[in-house]
Amino acid sequence: MGRLKFTFVVLLLICSNLLIGQGTANKVRDEADRYFKAQEYSKAIQLYERLSLMNSNNTDFNKNLGISYFFSNRLQEAETSLTKYYNVHKEDLDAVYYLACAAHHELKFDLAIDFYKYFLSRSKPSNPLYKSVIGDIKRCGVAKKIKYQEELAISENSGPKVNSPADEINPTWSPNHNGRIYFTANQEIDTTDRLDNLMSKVSDDYNMFGSEIQIDNGLLSYAYPLNEALNTPEVEQIYGFNENGKLLYFGRGQSLTSLSLYTEDLTILDDESPSINKFDAPFGNDPMLIDLYPFSDSVLIFSSIRPEGFGGYDLYYVEFKDGRWKDPVNFGDKINSEFDERAPFLSKDGRTLYFSSNNFQSVGGYDIFSAYYLDKDMEWTNVQNMGFPINSPGHELFFKLGFDGQKSLFSSDRKSGFGGYDLYTGFFKSIRTEQNTAALPDVFFKVPEFKLNSQEYQDEVLANKITALNIEPLYYTSDDNVLQPKNKQQLDLLVEIGKRFPTTIFNFMINSESSVSPEIELYFGIKRSELISNYMISKGISGNRVNLQSVGSLYPIAKNVLDGRPSISGQNLNRRVEISINNIDSLPLKITYKQPFVSDLLKTSDGSKFKRRINGLSYRVQIVSLKQMYNGDIYSLSPDLLIESQGGSGNYRYMTGLFPTFADAVDFQTILIKNGLKDAFIVPYIDNVRLIKSTISESMMNKYPDLRKYYLN
């Protein structure tokens, strides 16, 4: 009886301990899960590892542990934990996805592709990650090829003193102090005795920092914050300096994607309070402006999302000329794409561009690309991926080539770092000569005008006989014969002219005849015009030299119906593509435009009235820019409609109204804004060619005085 009581007590104690142990394990698991959901992965890892020691047979928490390892840059441990979980839970898509990501970052591209494909096979297109995984598979394919290319440089993390688990981004070489860099970071500001000039407050917002190369070991020192006048409770990001290093450009605002542009015109480490000014230029208030780089005192380049862009963030340049900053100009479709192009850097020669893009030619997220502007052809080369080890399966941004052409700085969140974005140094195996000397002219966009005014070009023009060119409309009866042999013959002639005279711009205006609504026919027309632009591009003409317009069936030159019956002749005359060539001043070209012949029996006044209205100066209002058809009721706004696009962009600008004066356009714009079209803006045209404000000259305004009202507005 005594033994039975003793055994019962022992069993009771064992059960109690098991229950207590289980309760403790549950508490640890709950706490670990809370840290995991809060993305405090280092704390979550400590608790999950403790849980593993308490119960090594339980693998349920290994998914969260593996994901925590992944975001803590512990890839091998992430792969081990995720594999343990996956072996039991093969249908868990989170585990599959992060196993793919881990393999991707470990450069195991075939394994990553297998997991990515398995993820797609088990998920639906509605899954938020579905499209990005398709992109990751493509990028792994690119990486497999790039992996075996010759490496241009070696890259190294800039070290644990300057880098931290926080983000260190946008490094900038000091123009006046050898061995000093500046950068932006959200690391906590250290108020210990590293330097005398320190801030009194501690903040984890993004601020501006400096770091020096230490003489004793050649590594960057601990980061120190710039003075309190520059670093405030708001977010600040350093951009760079002017040519003599006395003017600092930086952004200030509520977040890194919502910064206003500022300058500071005193040495940033002086004891005096810096003189800080908000940048006085219209584009400086662009809410989407990011990643500004000051190439010179008169040229700035940056990234932004703007209505005239190709999709996502595009690269733009802006010039200070005639006493003011001009309007930003898009770099064009050779550089920009439907993806994001960010963080531009233009080398000293003004021709070599470095930037980051997350297009499908990257090996991970954002990769660093380069392109070179060819003066002879007056266009950019195709962009080139900088390859490993400058790029990685992570994100690389803010590439800056050193003054000597041998070193570079950039930011990366690759999984070999200390966490977040770190600063990296690249050492090129051969000197990048684009940093050696400045070219003439100093920047790429001045090349066309420079060539036209050069004696060499004038001699070339004189040596050539004047080319006589007869241009007539392209006719079609359906989409299938837009590129019929006769039309191709004339397009080939345009291609030949375009290659001989690289400054020329080609304009194609699509007219049509249709029984569908004007809004739908407008869209059919612009899609039809892309057959022409794609042909021109395939023959070597850059898409940014091909302008497309669709007016649909709005302005017929001939009757579609005669005596109550369809008029085949009239319909054939209305289905045409009118062509014009711009930028031909000073060129040895004599162009004659052949007009369609319409008999008096078929003639209508709509087409001729339209021609008179677009002759000379006119204004339209842009209401939206889309990559698809606008489904709103635009015809009720105005019967004068137009869709514009640029070759290869796939971006459609919807224009409405057609006005002879700026005042009329302003009145119409006001009505549109009151009706909810708050992004509506006015665009001037000369002879139906869209004008960019930065290209408007004094001679234009003298010829068309009303244009000055638009220019000064």
Side-chain angles (χ1 to χ4, degrees), residues 212-268:
E212 317 272 347
I213 292 179
Q214 299 169 294
I215 296 176
D216 58 342
N217 58 23
L219 300 176
L220 286 169
S221 67
Y222 285 110
Y224 55 85
L226 306 190
N227 60 58
E228 291 188 37
L230 288 172
N231 286 330
T232 70
E234 291 189 275
V235 169
E236 278 90 19
Q237 181 175 8
I238 194 165
Y239 290 141
F241 298 85
N242 71 337
E243 292 181 53
N244 65 12
K246 299 296 185 183
L247 188 72
L248 169 70
Y249 291 90
F250 68 97
R252 174 175 288 168
Q254 297 303 309
S255 71
L256 288 177
T257 57
S258 180
L259 300 176
S260 296
L261 182 57
Y262 286 81
T263 60
E264 181 266 315
D265 61 6
L266 290 177
T267 305
I268 49 182

Side-chain angles (χ1 to χ4, degrees), residues 104-105 136 139 257 290-291 303-305 311-315 337-344 355-369 385-399 410-414 421:
H104 193 164
H105 282 268
D136 288 330
R139 293 182 178 101
T257 57
I290 60 171
D291 305 345
S303 183
S304 183
I305 299 175
Y313 281 99
D314 278 4
L315 301 187
S337 70
E338 63 184 295
F339 297 90
D340 291 326
E341 280 70 42
R342 290 189 52 191
F355 63 97
S356 295
S357 178
N358 57 357
N359 63 47
F360 285 149
Q361 294 306 307
S362 76
V363 299
Y366 283 102
D367 273 10
I368 298 165
F369 292 82
N385 190 302
M386 292 291 288
F388 297 112
I390 296 294
N391 291 316
S392 77
H395 297 294
E396 280 70 43
L397 291 159
F398 308 112
F399 177 93
F410 60 94
S411 296
S412 174
D413 68 348
R414 61 190 62 182
Y421 282 91

Side-chain angles (χ1 to χ4, degrees), residues 79-148:
E79 186 178 5
T80 299
S81 292
L82 288 168
T83 300
K84 285 181 181 178
Y85 182 86
Y86 170 75
N87 287 336
V88 180
H89 309 278
K90 293 186 181 294
E91 299 302 314
D92 191 305
L93 293 182
D94 285 342
V96 174
Y97 175 73
Y98 282 103
L99 276 168
C101 292
H104 193 164
H105 282 268
E106 289 184 290
L107 310 187
K108 301 175 182 178
F109 301 118
D110 287 323
L111 179 61
I113 290 172
D114 288 342
F115 276 118
Y116 281 136
K117 287 184 174 179
Y118 183 73
F119 177 92
L120 292 179
S121 71
R122 293 294 186 271
S123 60
K124 297 179 180 179
S126 59
N127 188 305
L129 293 172
Y130 195 90
K131 286 186 178 180
S132 67
V133 167
I134 293 174
D136 288 330
I137 292 173
K138 293 179 179 179
R139 293 182 178 101
C140 283
V142 170
K144 288 174 63 177
K145 298 176 182 177
I146 291 179
K147 187 177 181 180
Y148 297 102

Side-chain angles (χ1 to χ4, degrees), residues 579-649:
I579 305 169
S580 63
I581 305 178
N582 293 97
N583 288 5
I584 60 173
D585 293 343
S586 303
L587 297 181
L589 280 174
K590 182 180 180 181
I591 300 177
T592 302
Y593 294 103
K594 184 179 179 181
Q595 301 301 318
F597 173 76
V598 185
S599 68
D600 291 339
L601 183 64
L602 289 175
K603 190 177 295 184
T604 67
S605 61
D606 295 343
S608 57
K609 286 180 181 178
F610 175 65
K611 287 289 187 183
R612 288 194 296 271
R613 294 172 67 197
I614 63 174
N615 184 46
L617 177 64
S618 60
Y619 300 90
R620 297 180 185 270
V621 180
Q622 180 169 320
I623 59 170
V624 71
S625 179
L626 298 171
K627 288 186 173 294
Q628 59 195 47
M629 188 169 74
Y630 178 73
N631 291 312
D633 183 15
I634 54 174
Y635 194 69
S636 63
L637 303 174
S638 169
D640 294 301
L641 303 175
L642 174 74
I643 301 180
E644 288 184 314
S645 186
Q646 198 170 55
S649 72

Side-chain angles (χ1 to χ4, degrees), residues 2 14 40 85 131 311-312 329 341 346 361 466 481 500 577 632 647:
I14 291 173
E40 296 185 46
Y85 182 86
K131 286 186 178 180
V329 180
E341 280 70 42
L346 190 62
Q361 294 306 307
I466 293 177
N481 64 9
R500 184 177 172 191
V577 182

Side-chain angles (χ1 to χ4, degrees), residues 3-19:
R3 287 184 178 180
L4 184 61
K5 285 184 179 180
F6 176 77
T7 302
F8 176 76
V9 170
V10 169
L11 288 174
L12 185 62
L13 287 172
I14 291 173
C15 290
S16 298
N17 287 333
L18 287 173
L19 289 172

Side-chain angles (χ1 to χ4, degrees), residues 406-468:
Q406 296 184 67
K407 295 189 290 292
S408 64
L409 288 170
F410 60 94
S411 296
S412 174
D413 68 348
R414 61 190 62 182
K415 293 300 180 182
S416 58
F418 295 98
Y421 282 91
D422 282 357
L423 302 185
Y424 284 79
T425 305
F427 302 93
F428 284 95
K429 296 179 180 179
S430 59
I431 294 176
R432 310 293 287 186
T433 56
E434 59 264 30
Q435 282 291 82
N436 288 351
T437 56
L440 188 67
D442 63 329
V443 66
F444 68 93
F445 60 80
K446 297 180 182 178
V447 170
E449 183 179 359
F450 180 82
K451 285 195 68 175
L452 286 174
N453 295 326
S454 68
Q455 187 61 49
E456 179 185 359
Y457 184 79
Q458 297 302 323
D459 293 341
E460 184 181 334
V461 170
L462 291 173
N464 285 284
K465 295 180 179 179
I466 293 177
T467 300

